[in-house]
Amino acid sequence: MSRKRRREEPNVNTEVVGLYEDLANENEEVRLKAAKDLLFALTRERDGQLLSRTIRRLIRGLCSGRKAARLGFSVALTEFLVQWLGPKHSSLQGFNTALPELLDILNEQTNITGNVSGQEVRDHCFGRLFGAEAIIKSRVLFQPAVPIELWYQILNVIFDLAKSKPWLREECGYVICGSLQTLKNTNVDSEYAEACIQILIAANLVKTPEGVAVWITCQRFFPEVALPNGHWHKQDPLDRKTLAVLAKIMREAPVASDTKDSQATNADTGAWRTSLHFAWDVVLKAVIEDDHEWSGQENTKQNFSIFWESVVDDGLFAASSSEERKYWGFRLHQRFWQTMDAPLLPHIVMKNFKRCLVNQLVSRDRYLHRAAEQTLQVMHSRIAKEPELAGYALERLIGMEPGRMLNFDTLTKTKTIEKLISQANALAFKQIIDFFEGCLLRPGGQGEKSASSERQMALDYMISALRSRVISMENDVGHALKKKKEILSVFDILIRFAYFGPESEHIRGGPSNPIPPLSRATIELFKAKITTCLTLLLGKLPNPENFPFEILLMIRDRENREGVTSTLNADEDIKKVLHRACKNLDKLHAKNEAAKGDEKDFLKAFEMLYSLTILQVYNEDADAVDLLGELKGCYETMVKETSIEGRNQGCELLLEVLLSLVSKPSQLFRRVAKQVFGACASQINSNGLGSLLQVLESEENSKGQEAMFDNIDDGIGADELPDIEEVDMDNEDLKQTNGDDTSSEAPDDSGSDVTEESNGSDDELAAFDAKLAQALGTHTATKDFEAGSSKDSSDDDEAMDDDQMEALDGYLESVFKERAKVKSAKTTRKEAKETMVNFKRQVLELLEIYIAKQHSNPLALDLLLPLLILVRKTQTKSIADRACALIREYAKLCKGKNITSLKEEEEEEEEEDDEEDEEDERKEKHTQYLFKLLEAVHEEAANKEGSNAYNSACSQASLLLVKVLAAQEGRKEHLRKVVGIYGATQERFLLEAKSCHVKTGFFTDWLNWCTSARKSG
């Protein structure tokens, strides 16, 4: 039996094998380390045969599609050639590979033989290209002893690939451009660059994106090269006369060949790619740097605009362009916004691009919708870093006259323009405001209607700009003064168009009068927008008091200019009143500047109210003149009057004025009234609180409306009151009666209208049917049904002549008029309820302000019982919820040092008295009042049935009074009486279950408080 021959171990260098594996690693650091270690290992071994095998192995590795093999083997091959074939290489026995043999090895190892798959063909083609690139990067071909023929050979290898494999043409062109950069850095003779152009022409690739890139790169790095004629005008692809051809080339459209005997157009580059061609970077860099002849002394921006319009806007974004080319256009815009210098960015937004952008943003179903969105995102990202670009971008997106696209946001369903406005810095903000002012002066639309529409859109954007400044002013207190100037600049434009007519002078060197002239509706719109802006200022800024005064100063300053005419339509008497009011305002402002503390807060708020009232006179508000007289009386009694009684009367008068303001539809005056109320809250006495509580006690119907508004304003009837705008509640609140969440007991009077409406609607409808049947000489269908009539009623009808028909028409008209009156009555009742509900809501907001500022004032305790009654009686859930929340907030504020102290109810009305017995008597009087109030709260909770929220409010009000009593002198005695009151209520809860409606939680809250009070001592 023969013995099995022992297998010989192959002579394999395991270290080198591991390094080859690492060369394909996807981590760049691992690849670079492997290449370094491989060269170190070869240097250490100094084996010529190993070097010969290594060079073949590295070239074969370039043909591998595994991981990042091409990148790793390409780096290793480049460094290998530098070390072993470069100018400083040393000869080594066994390594006889020279540069001519190197090219043969490259062709041999990357040659495709046999029946192979398409992927294998691609791998070998890429391997040959990467090998040629490695040889060029190693610079071994540019040594003095190396003949230039080898350079021609390597160029032929690359251009042959570009011609035979169109899908590889871009990569080949990129390698050639990179080789020109290498030639420049190597300082070789220009004939090497000439060789590139010669072979480019021979390959018939001049009129391709790759050919353009190679040509421009050669021009840039080797200007001394004499480029051949007959291909480009003045040998410059960027010449103006060849831009049309360049546009076709860059969008890869068919272009006639330069070779007479060839019919090829060289347009086919294989499958379409989503990425941009590298030639765009080369071309754009050449355009921007003005490296071409046609730039001359002209401005770079103009040259760039001409190029961009011809090649990009009219090329990629033309109406006839395919979706794929438009996608390239979007990608080009994105790259430009990311990388290019700021001065050129506005020039890339042109008409075809805007049209395409809008069309694609209109619907998510559009093919390039996502690309269009990404373009805007990239633009906003760049502007966020350089906000001075916001003005230019906005101008270009909207466009100039004619054909402005002020409805850009509406068309695209985006907030692009608004976001640009918010991103603008001070410089861009001024540019934006000036642009919109130009839109107001010279709207692009034809006709008054079109001009008014465009002006309204421009005005809306100006308000948006002001809003953005208000928000930034609110968040950035450090730059508040700068933001304030920007806000006032917007008001200056609004004032000019709202209150003044055409001017005889010119502003800023341009036409100052609008053409066509502003319509009356547009002027009123300007006035309304001023009110809107002031409302915004009052709602957003913590200290907006100076704005109304400064706006009035701007109006008065413009009135005093020559050639300026005011549009105020007022008689001489009103103008005199206005003149006196402005003088009074100046005095008030001077006194405000000198005041301090609480007085200054009140004067600031009052000055703002007075300024706004004067502004309403300019708005031609009929009630503003009367309001000025009332405010003057308030000022004289509250500020100038020295007696306490006089000041109290002035405060009560001011409170009545504020109540009339919060009942108005103007949100601006409601906010001002609340601010003034907060400033004078400390001066409000019991009579003032009583006027507020009177509103809460009124009925929520037409009777309550008539009684209440007759008291507030004798000159306005209930039917004449306008509807309250900006209702904060839902319509359901008007219909929903209090259930478990609010109150189950309805008042006898306040719900009378609701009951009457629900019970009377059927009767009214029946009466209408009866009158209609009488007029027609028939009877109702109900009577037919009850009588069981089966006959045709038309048999009993007699034919009517013309006189009878005319009489019937008159009777029918009277019947329908009566029906309309019935519907009008229903609408009146509904509007009356809405008015009263909103009025109560405004009063509750005033009480919230009062509680926040005066919760330690004993007068605030008088609010508890009326609020509880309101919760129980109101028909509107939102009112009940708000009253409960007010009681809850009051109880929350009264803790620790903030608990109400029992000082004199109106300390300023009492003379100082040092006698202890009178002081004790006064405190005793207040203590007894609190006990009576506590008993009244318990009586309210026990005798009146209500919701859980109502009972919780009763418990909180009761505990609040307990805390106030416990905080005074005689704590134990007070608590004993409190325990007695709670005990009496609990006794009723136990023994009178049917009549006592107190919930268990009322006593649970009491016990919890007792536990807490016991621990705190």
Side-chain angles (χ1 to χ4, degrees):
M1 185 175 182
S2 62
R3 296 177 59 187
K4 182 182 291 187
R5 188 175 64 180
R6 184 176 181 182
R7 185 176 181 181
E8 296 180 359
E9 292 289 338
N11 185 16
V12 177
N13 190 330
T14 56
E15 179 185 3
V16 175
V17 172
L19 293 176
Y20 286 144
E21 181 68 25
D22 289 342
L23 284 177
N25 197 289
E26 294 178 347
N27 190 323
E28 183 180 6
E29 294 182 0
V30 175
R31 294 197 306 269
L32 294 177
K33 184 177 183 303
K36 180 179 178 182
D37 292 344
L38 176 62
L39 293 177
F40 180 76
L42 295 175
T43 304
R44 185 182 59 209
E45 294 290 336
R46 298 192 61 80
D47 185 350
Q49 295 182 355
L50 178 61
L51 293 178
S52 298
R53 293 195 301 271
T54 300
I55 196 171
R56 284 174 168 78
R57 178 67 183 88
L58 290 175
I59 293 176
R60 285 201 309 273
L62 296 175
C63 300
S64 173
R66 181 172 59 92
K67 296 182 180 179
R70 291 194 184 97
L71 298 176
F73 279 86
S74 177
V75 171
L77 179 59
T78 302
E79 296 301 324
F80 180 92
L81 295 176
V82 171
Q83 184 168 344
W84 297 104
L85 293 178
K88 297 182 180 180
H89 75 279
S90 57
S91 59
L92 186 63
Q93 186 177 3
F95 181 64
N96 299 320
T97 303
L99 288 177
E101 287 80 9
L102 175 63
L103 298 181
D104 294 337
I105 294 173
L106 175 63
N107 291 327
E108 175 190 348
Q109 296 297 323
T110 59
N111 191 30
I112 304 169
T113 58
N115 187 15
V116 296
S117 64
Q119 183 59 45
E120 218 173 326
V121 173
R122 291 177 62 87
D123 289 339
H124 280 74
C125 290
F126 272 112
R128 180 169 293 186
L129 180 61
F130 272 79
E133 184 182 22
I135 294 173
I136 294 173
K137 286 184 176 180
S138 67
R139 305 184 185 182
V140 296
L141 297 178
F142 311 134
Q143 301 178 67
V146 177
I148 195 173
E149 287 76 12
L150 295 180
W151 172 242
Y152 277 93
Q153 290 184 28
I154 202 71
L155 288 178
N156 285 325
V157 169
I158 298 174
F159 278 103
D160 287 344
L161 282 174
K163 290 186 64 177
S164 60
K165 307 297 179 185
W167 46 267
L168 199 56
R169 184 182 299 168
E170 182 178 350
E171 287 75 10
C172 294
Y174 184 81
V175 171
I176 296 298
C177 289
S179 68
L180 290 172
Q181 174 73 49
T182 304
L183 291 174
K184 178 67 175 178
N185 297 335
T186 313
N187 295 322
V188 299
D189 193 80
S190 60
E191 60 179 337
Y192 283 86
E194 291 178 1
C196 294
I197 299 298
Q198 292 173 7
I199 299 181
L200 176 69
I201 295 173
N204 196 23
L205 296 176
V206 175
K207 297 298 178 66
T208 63
E210 298 79 18
V212 172
V214 172
W215 193 286
I216 293 175
T217 305
C218 184
Q219 276 184 322
R220 179 184 179 190
F221 292 135
F222 297 93
E224 69 276 8
V225 172
L227 296 171
N229 297 325
H231 300 284
W232 299 105
H233 186 265
K234 296 182 181 180
Q235 293 79 47
D236 188 359
L238 301 179
D239 189 90
R240 292 187 183 184
K241 294 185 178 180
T242 59
L243 285 181
V245 177
L246 180 63
K248 287 185 176 182
I249 294 173
M250 295 307 294
R251 66 175 183 264
E252 299 185 9
V255 180
S257 174
D258 293 330
T259 306
K260 295 181 180 180
D261 57 350
S262 175
Q263 299 299 323
T265 60
N266 302 311
D268 184 15
T269 58
W272 175 76
R273 300 184 181 185
T274 59
S275 59
L276 282 175
H277 200 287
F278 83 93
W280 280 108
D281 294 331
V282 178
V283 172
L284 288 173
K285 189 172 184 179
V287 173
I288 294 170
E289 293 181 354
D290 289 336
D291 283 344
H292 46 281
E293 184 178 348
W294 63 268
S295 62
Q297 300 297 324
E298 296 176 351
N299 189 283
T300 302
K301 296 179 183 179
Q302 295 177 353
N303 296 338
F304 176 79
S305 296
I306 295 171
F307 165 82
W308 191 271
E309 183 177 10
S310 300
V311 179
V312 180
D313 202 61
D314 292 340
L316 297 179
F317 288 108
S320 58
S321 292
S322 64
E323 301 292 349
E324 291 79 8
R325 286 169 179 163
K326 290 176 181 177
Y327 178 81
W328 282 342
F330 283 126
R331 291 296 302 271
L332 197 59
H333 270 262
Q334 294 169 24
R335 179 178 296 182
F336 209 87
W337 277 104
Q338 290 171 334
T339 59
M340 294 303 175
D341 295 334
L344 297 177
L345 288 174
H347 298 276
I348 69 175
V349 182
M350 294 186 174
K351 58 179 181 179
N352 289 331
F353 164 74
K354 286 194 298 181
R355 186 200 67 248
C356 184
L357 181 68
V358 171
N359 289 339
Q360 298 301 327
L361 288 172
V362 165
S363 172
R364 293 186 176 275
D365 297 332
R366 300 294 170 87
Y367 186 69
L368 299 177
H369 178 80
R370 182 58 182 158
E373 283 187 331
Q374 289 176 343
T375 302
L376 291 181
Q377 290 172 3
V378 172
M379 180 189 69
H380 286 306
S381 299
R382 178 67 181 270
I383 294 176
K385 299 176 183 177
E386 301 177 52
E388 63 273 7
L389 295 173
Y392 295 106
L394 182 142
E395 287 183 356
R396 301 296 292 193
L397 283 176
I398 293 179
M400 306 303 290
E401 180 189 1
R404 293 192 188 102
M405 200 181 294
L406 282 166
N407 58 343
F408 183 89
D409 282 358
T410 304
L411 291 174
T412 60
K413 301 176 184 178
T414 63
K415 294 186 177 180
T416 304
I417 304 301
E418 288 190 12
K419 189 170 183 180
L420 288 175
I421 292 173
S422 64
Q423 289 180 309
N425 61 4
L427 181 63
F429 185 84
K430 184 180 183 305
Q431 182 179 357
I432 290 172
I433 296 303
D434 291 343
F435 172 77
F436 286 126
E437 184 181 7
C439 295
L440 296 173
L441 288 169
R442 299 292 185 272
Q446 298 295 327
E448 181 178 341
K449 185 176 181 181
S450 178
S452 298
S453 176
E454 187 167 324
R455 280 168 174 159
Q456 181 174 354
M457 288 186 285
L459 182 57
D460 289 338
Y461 279 129
M462 292 189 72
I463 303 306
S464 178
L466 184 141
R467 184 182 295 108
S468 69
R469 263 14 195 192
V470 171
I471 295 174
S472 61
M473 185 177 179
E474 180 184 14
N475 300 329
D476 187 7
V477 182
H479 296 84
L481 183 59
K482 184 185 297 184
K483 306 293 183 185
K484 183 178 180 180
K485 290 181 180 178
E486 294 173 353
I487 292 173
L488 290 176
S489 68
V490 178
F491 274 110
D492 184 53
I493 297 174
L494 299 181
I495 288 169
R496 173 185 166 198
F497 291 110
Y499 303 118
F500 298 93
E503 301 175 352
S504 59
E505 60 181 358
H506 294 280
I507 299 177
R508 288 180 291 277
S512 60
N513 296 326
I515 300 176
L518 299 179
S519 64
R520 187 62 189 175
T522 303
I523 294 175
E524 293 301 323
L525 180 62
F526 274 98
K527 294 179 181 180
K529 291 300 182 181
I530 291 176
T531 302
T532 301
C533 293
L534 288 171
T535 305
L536 176 67
L537 290 173
L538 265 64
K540 292 290 185 180
L541 300 183
N543 298 305
E545 296 87 356
N546 291 333
F547 277 102
F549 178 76
E550 295 193 24
I551 290 171
L552 274 180
L553 288 182
M554 294 165 64
I555 295 176
R556 294 161 63 185
D557 176 67
R558 186 173 286 273
E559 282 180 330
N560 296 329
R561 297 182 187 178
E562 294 184 3
V564 176
T565 57
S566 174
T567 58
L568 178 63
N569 184 18
D571 55 27
E572 291 300 323
D573 293 337
I574 293 179
K575 290 182 179 180
K576 290 180 180 179
V577 171
L578 185 61
H579 181 68
R580 288 195 299 267
C582 290
K583 286 188 175 181
N584 293 334
L585 179 62
D586 292 336
K587 297 178 182 178
L588 178 61
H589 181 71
K591 190 174 184 64
N592 176 21
E593 292 294 322
K596 295 180 180 179
D598 294 340
E599 182 184 8
K600 184 174 183 64
D601 293 338
F602 171 73
L603 290 176
K604 285 170 61 177
F606 194 83
E607 176 189 307
M608 179 172 61
L609 176 58
Y610 203 76
S611 301
L612 290 174
T613 306
I614 295 176
L615 189 62
Q616 289 303 106
V617 176
Y618 281 101
N619 288 338
E620 301 177 12
D621 186 351
D623 299 331
V625 177
D626 295 334
L627 183 58
L628 279 177
E630 295 175 1
L631 291 177
K632 181 181 179 182
C634 294
Y635 173 74
E636 291 177 349
T637 53
M638 290 190 67
V639 179
K640 294 183 178 181
E641 185 69 37
T642 57
S643 65
I644 296 176
E645 183 179 357
R647 288 190 177 185
N648 287 336
Q649 291 178 355
C651 182
E652 293 174 13
L653 177 60
L654 177 61
L655 196 57
E656 294 296 328
V657 173
L658 297 181
L659 281 175
S660 66
L661 292 179
V662 298
S663 67
K664 288 181 177 293
S666 172
Q667 187 182 15
L668 173 62
F669 274 92
R670 292 205 299 266
R671 287 185 176 177
V672 175
K674 292 167 188 175
Q675 192 157 347
V676 176
F677 180 84
C680 66
S682 60
Q683 303 181 43
I684 296 176
N685 55 20
S686 57
N687 293 334
L689 283 183
S691 61
L692 296 176
L693 296 177
Q694 183 182 2
V695 177
L696 300 182
E697 295 169 357
S698 60
E699 302 175 12
E700 297 174 1
N701 53 28
S702 56
K703 294 179 181 179
Q705 182 191 34
E706 183 177 359
M708 184 52 57
F709 287 101
D710 280 345
N711 291 335
I712 293 178
D713 191 348
D714 294 334
I716 301 178
D719 296 335
E720 297 172 347
L721 283 171
D723 296 338
I724 299 296
E725 69 175 3
E726 300 187 15
V727 179
D728 297 331
M729 65 179 180
D730 297 333
N731 291 335
E732 295 179 358
D733 291 342
L734 297 175
K735 301 176 182 178
Q736 179 177 1
T737 55
N738 292 331
D740 293 338
D741 293 335
T742 55
S743 174
S744 59
E745 180 182 349
D748 295 336
D749 296 330
S750 63
S752 60
D753 281 357
V754 179
T755 304
E756 179 184 350
E757 180 179 346
S758 61
N759 293 337
S761 59
D762 293 338
D763 296 337
E764 292 166 356
L765 183 59
F768 173 72
D769 290 341
K771 289 182 179 180
L772 185 60
Q774 181 182 357
L776 297 175
T778 63
H779 48 265
T780 62
T782 306
K783 293 183 178 180
D784 279 343
F785 179 78
E786 292 174 353
S789 176
S790 58
K791 297 180 180 180
D792 188 357
S793 59
S794 62
D795 295 339
D796 299 330
D797 295 338
E798 296 180 359
M800 292 185 291
D801 56 20
D802 292 342
D803 294 336
Q804 290 175 325
M805 288 293 292
E806 185 176 354
L808 178 61
D809 290 341
Y811 189 73
L812 285 175
E813 183 179 357
S814 63
V815 170
F816 280 104
K817 283 183 178 180
E818 291 183 10
R819 177 60 177 169
K821 290 180 180 179
V822 172
K823 291 183 178 180
S824 178
K826 290 181 180 180
T827 303
T828 302
R829 288 197 295 269
K830 181 179 179 181
E831 292 176 352
K833 180 172 182 178
E834 291 179 359
T835 301
M836 289 306 300
V837 166
N838 281 280
F839 194 18
K840 287 187 176 183
R841 180 175 290 103
Q842 300 302 324
V843 171
L844 285 174
E845 290 183 7
L846 294 180
L847 292 179
E848 289 174 359
I849 297 172
Y850 183 82
I851 290 298
K853 294 180 175 292
Q854 297 292 317
H855 51 268
S856 59
N857 191 331
L859 281 177
L861 296 173
D862 294 342
L863 301 175
L864 291 175
L865 193 58
L867 287 174
L868 291 175
I869 297 174
L870 175 65
V871 174
R872 174 170 55 84
K873 285 188 174 183
T874 182
Q875 293 286 311
T876 307
K877 180 179 181 298
S878 62
I879 295 295
D881 291 343
R882 197 150 199 168
C884 290
L886 182 55
I887 295 174
R888 185 165 55 251
E889 182 65 19
Y890 188 8
K892 181 179 178 181
L893 291 173
C894 289
K895 291 181 179 179
K897 297 180 180 180
N898 293 326
I899 292 180
T900 304
S901 58
L902 290 180
K903 59 183 179 181
E904 296 85 351
E905 180 177 343
E906 296 178 10
E907 185 175 353
E908 53 277 274
E909 293 185 4
E910 302 289 341
E911 297 180 357
E912 293 186 2
D913 194 343
D914 296 333
E915 297 182 7
E916 294 183 0
D917 53 347
E918 292 186 5
E919 182 70 22
D920 293 341
E921 182 180 353
R922 198 158 42 243
K923 289 184 178 180
E924 180 64 23
K925 176 182 177 181
H926 287 296
T927 302
Q928 294 301 323
Y929 170 75
L930 288 180
F931 278 115
K932 290 182 180 179
L933 185 58
L934 179 61
E935 291 174 353
V937 170
H938 279 245
E939 189 71 16
E940 178 73 18
N943 293 341
K944 307 297 182 180
E945 185 177 1
S947 65
N948 292 332
Y950 168 73
N951 282 276
S952 176
C954 289
S955 176
Q956 290 171 343
S958 176
L959 290 178
L960 173 58
L961 293 170
V962 171
K963 286 191 290 184
V964 173
L965 287 168
Q968 312 307 320
E969 295 180 6
R971 169 185 171 89
K972 292 185 178 181
E973 184 63 28
H974 294 164
L975 289 180
R976 287 191 180 93
K977 292 183 179 180
V978 170
V979 170
I981 295 174
Y982 267 94
T985 305
Q986 191 169 11
E987 180 181 353
R988 290 187 58 188
F989 174 77
L990 180 62
L991 302 179
E992 302 176 12
K994 293 184 179 181
S995 61
C996 184
H997 303 289
V998 177
K999 305 293 184 186
T1000 308
F1002 190 86
F1003 302 107
T1004 304
D1005 294 342
W1006 160 246
L1007 292 176
N1008 291 337
W1009 184 87
C1010 290
T1011 303
S1012 176
R1014 181 184 179 188
K1015 291 180 180 179
S1016 61

